[in-house]
């Protein structure tokens, strides 16, 4: 385990055992460190931050970052705030990406990270979601979008089954009628249609039982 991940997980030691288990499971099932390492300095929005583990990694990994975590689930926001209360460069807020933009955050962020969020939305809302994310970014700002690839593999099918358990059976993840996984070519088109220039498509699934793919995209500079 990396020192940075250890430091982040220590922030959650005071949470109930069920919440700690969820955070630790997240730490070892998703390539959060790879996302954090590609995230620039400056003001960063973590959309759908959940318990705030990626926000913690971003803040601890680079003190020059100011991280603004946003999530619609009040229960997760409460746990994230409790765990990260002593971290001065993190703020956790309840809400959606649309509410964040409406609160005056247009063209404010140097980077936006979105990790395993898009697939939880109905596909007809993806274009609007990505356009709203683009509105949060400064010209030349960076989006890091991590999704599970719909490649038809056993890993794909396992990921769908796992998320069904988390969303429908255990209620640990809040969905909005989604659960669609797409191939990387289709995801790239969604990003380009929303006005992003895709700079990198990284396969981060090695060593995991989930086909993780990271899309690194930028807004245009006038």
């Amino acid at each position: 385990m990396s020192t940075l991940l250890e430091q982040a997980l220590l922030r959650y030691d005071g949470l109930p055992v069920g919440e700690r288990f969820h955070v630790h499971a997240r730490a070892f099932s998703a390539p959060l460190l790879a996302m954090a390492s590609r995230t620039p300095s400056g003001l960063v929005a973590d959309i759908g931050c959940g318990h705030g583990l990626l926000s913690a990694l971003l803040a601890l990994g680079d003190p020059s970052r100011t991280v603004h975590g946003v999530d619609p689930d009040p229960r997760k926001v409460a746990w994230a705030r409790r765990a990260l209360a002593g971290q001065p460069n993190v703020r956790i807020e309840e809400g959606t990406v649309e509410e964040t933009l409406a609160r005056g955050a247009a063209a404010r962020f140097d980077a936006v990270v979105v990790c395993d969020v898009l697939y939880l939305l109905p596909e007809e809302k993806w274009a609007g979601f990505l356009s709203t994310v683009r509105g949060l970014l400064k010209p030349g700002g960076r989006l890091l979008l991590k999704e599970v690839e719909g490649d038809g593999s056993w890993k794909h099918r396992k990921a769908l089954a796992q998320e069904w358990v988390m969303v429908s059976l255990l209620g640990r993840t809040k969905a909005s009628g989604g659960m669609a996984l797409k191939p990387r070519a289709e995801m790239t088109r969604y990003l380009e249609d929303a006005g992003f220039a895709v700079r990198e498509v990284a396969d981060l699934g090695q060593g995991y039982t989930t086909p993780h793919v990271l899309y690194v995209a930028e807004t245009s500079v006038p």
Side-chain angles (χ1 to χ4, degrees), residues 72-151:
D73 187 334
R75 180 181 57 85
K76 288 184 178 179
V77 166
W79 292 128
R81 284 174 172 166
R82 176 172 165 181
L84 304 180
Q87 191 64 37
N89 57 334
V90 176
R91 176 187 175 191
I92 305 294
E93 186 172 68
E94 183 183 342
T96 64
V97 65
E98 293 84 5
E99 290 168 341
T100 302
L101 185 62
R103 284 192 282 259
R108 181 182 172 199
F109 292 94
D110 298 289
V112 173
V113 296
V114 182
C115 186
D116 296 325
V117 171
L118 196 62
Y119 78 100
L120 294 170
L121 303 174
E123 192 175 344
E124 60 268 21
K125 293 187 177 181
W126 287 12
F129 177 90
L130 292 171
S131 293
T132 304
V133 167
R134 186 173 181 273
L136 294 175
L137 285 162
K138 297 176 180 177
R142 185 180 301 177
L143 167 64
L144 295 100
L145 174 71
K146 208 293 290 176
E147 287 291 319
V148 175
E149 184 175 22
D151 59 3

Side-chain angles (χ1 to χ4, degrees), residues 2-98:
S2 76
T3 301
L4 178 58
L5 186 57
E6 288 177 338
Q7 290 175 352
L9 289 174
L10 280 174
R11 302 302 195 273
Y12 295 86
D13 278 357
L15 268 57
V17 63
E19 305 305 324
R20 293 202 310 273
F21 176 82
H22 183 81
V23 172
H24 279 256
R26 181 70 170 152
F28 295 105
S29 64
L32 302 182
L33 286 170
M35 287 190 70
S37 69
R38 288 172 166 84
T39 304
S41 300
L43 186 59
V44 180
D46 182 5
I47 302 299
C49 67
H51 286 76
L53 181 57
L54 179 54
S55 294
L57 291 170
L58 290 166
L60 290 165
D62 184 350
S64 69
R65 292 189 188 112
T66 299
V67 185
H68 184 89
V70 179
D71 198 275
D73 187 334
R75 180 181 57 85
K76 288 184 178 179
V77 166
W79 292 128
R81 284 174 172 166
R82 176 172 165 181
L84 304 180
Q87 191 64 37
N89 57 334
V90 176
R91 176 187 175 191
I92 305 294
E93 186 172 68
E94 183 183 342
T96 64
V97 65
E98 293 84 5

